[in-house]
């Protein structure tokens, strides 16, 4: 009985470990480690922070933080899946958080945008990690360039000028040692032209392929090893438990034969 209890605990620990790793892998924050001279390409989606300005032809690689209101509106939209399901309502919510108006220029209404904005008012800004991409760039450890910047037209409202876009955030380690950083949702980029185009707020683009991390991207490897270890414990516990049950069954049969 005692041995069976221990084996059941082993199986339970394995299941909990596997579940915990899955939850960790689903987190929005991605920790990346780059070796000296290594480069990583990160797909991002950008949204307008300046109503009635054109989408930028190029953006500066300098990263700044958004206002709390804009950041929370973006997080609320991401939580609802609106960044993928309804880009127009997502943009209206971000404008509402930024300058106080929905700017429903398409005349489509703003019911979902109101819900997103209402959700954002219930959120609070989390403490900023100490190893953000923004900080590493400001310290000179990493260099950021923007490639493949592309404005995305609203298929549901083709008469509108583009208010969102996609790009690749290319990060290079310019230091002589490994650098670990987190590219946070809510990064703000200024237009390269100055103030005549949109300032944009960005988040990691979940619709694109997973990050193509170099071998030093140990965060992904740690998740894989964690899940593998959990599965190994689960298999080991189940095998030993099954062997124990078979042994007891065989012993019982032998006893019955002996009695006969």
């Amino acid at each position: 009985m005692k041995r069976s209890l221990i084996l059941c605990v082993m199986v339970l620990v394995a299941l909990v470990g596997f579940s915990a790793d899955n939850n960790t892998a689903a987190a929005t924050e991605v920790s990346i480690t780059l070796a000296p001279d290594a480069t990583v390409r990160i797909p991002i989606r950008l949204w307008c922070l300046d109503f009635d300005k054109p989408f930028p032809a190029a953006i500066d690689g300098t990263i700044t933080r958004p206002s709390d209101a804009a950041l929370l509106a973006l997080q609320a939209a991401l939580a609802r899946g609106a960044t993928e399901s309804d880009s127009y309502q997502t943009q209206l919510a971000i404008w509402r958080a930024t300058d106080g108006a929905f700017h429903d220029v398409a005349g489509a209404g703003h019911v979902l945008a109101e819900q997103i904005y209402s959700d954002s008012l219930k959120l609070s800004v989390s403490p900023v990690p100490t190893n953000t991409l923004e900080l590493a760039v400001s310290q000179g450890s990493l260099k950021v360039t923007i490639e493949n910047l592309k404005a995305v037209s609203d298929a549901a409202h083709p008469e509108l000028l583009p208010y969102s876009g996609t790009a690749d955030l290319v990060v290079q380690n310019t230091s002589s040692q490994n650098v670990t950083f987190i590219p946070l949702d809510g990064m703000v980029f200024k237009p390269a032209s100055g103030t005549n185009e949109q300032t944009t707020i960005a988040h990691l683009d979940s619709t694109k392929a997973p990050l193509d991390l170099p071998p030093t991207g140990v965060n992904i490897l740690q998740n894989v090893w964690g899940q593998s270890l959990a599965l190994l414990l689960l298999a080991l516990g189940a095998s030993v438990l099954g062997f124990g049950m078979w042994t007891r069954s065989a012993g019982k049969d032998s006893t019955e034969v002996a009695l006969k």
Side-chain angles (χ1 to χ4, degrees):
M1 176 67 179
K2 183 177 180 181
R3 181 170 58 182
S4 297
L5 179 60
I6 293 174
L7 292 174
C8 288
V9 170
M10 288 177 62
V11 174
L12 179 61
V13 168
L15 286 172
V16 171
F18 183 71
S19 175
D21 267 331
N22 278 344
N23 289 337
T24 301
T28 55
E29 290 185 1
V30 177
S31 178
I32 301 172
T33 300
L34 285 181
D37 294 325
T39 299
V40 64
R41 184 179 297 271
I42 306 172
I44 58 174
R45 181 76 184 268
L46 305 108
W47 304 88
C48 172
L49 289 177
D50 296 317
F51 173 70
D52 208 25
K53 288 186 178 182
F55 191 82
I59 55 180
D60 193 335
T62 302
I63 303 171
T64 58
R65 295 298 295 162
S67 67
D68 287 353
L71 174 60
L72 294 178
L74 176 62
Q75 290 179 337
L78 287 167
R80 277 185 172 267
T83 54
E84 296 180 27
S85 65
D86 200 321
S87 60
Y88 182 66
Q89 294 294 317
T90 295
Q91 182 59 71
L92 296 188
I94 293 174
W95 278 332
R96 172 65 178 86
T98 303
D99 63 19
F102 285 108
H103 301 297
D104 180 19
V105 290
H110 44 77
V111 174
L112 178 56
E114 287 183 5
Q115 294 171 350
I116 294 170
Y117 180 68
S118 177
D119 289 348
S120 74
L121 299 179
K122 303 171 186 175
L123 301 177
S124 58
V125 177
S126 302
V128 178
T130 57
N131 59 334
T132 64
L133 174 58
E134 175 189 357
L135 180 60
V137 170
S138 68
Q139 293 173 339
S141 301
L142 300 175
K143 176 184 177 182
V144 169
T145 54
I146 306 297
E147 296 183 3
N148 302 321
L149 177 64
K150 178 183 178 182
V152 176
S153 298
D154 187 340
H157 309 288
E159 73 280 6
L160 301 182
L161 293 176
Y163 49 76
S164 68
T166 59
D168 288 335
L169 187 67
V170 182
V171 184
Q172 180 184 12
N173 183 354
T174 56
S175 73
S176 59
Q177 58 188 3
N178 286 356
V179 177
T180 299
F181 66 94
I182 298 174
L184 290 175
D185 287 340
M187 296 175 287
V188 171
F189 297 95
K190 297 286 186 180
S193 64
T195 59
N196 295 326
E197 296 175 318
Q198 299 171 8
T199 296
T200 54
I201 184 171
H203 63 85
L204 305 188
D205 192 346
S206 61
T207 66
K208 298 293 181 65
L211 300 182
D212 182 16
L213 294 177
T216 48
V218 296
N219 57 302
I220 301 299
L221 297 179
Q222 288 171 346
N223 285 337
V224 171
W225 275 110
Q227 292 181 7
S228 298
L229 179 60
L231 287 172
L232 179 60
L233 284 172
L234 179 60
L236 178 62
S239 298
V240 175
L241 182 60
F243 179 76
M245 295 175 65
W246 176 83
T247 302
R248 285 195 300 274
S249 177
K252 182 179 178 181
D253 292 342
S254 299
T255 302
E256 291 177 350
V257 170
L259 290 175
K260 291 179 181 179

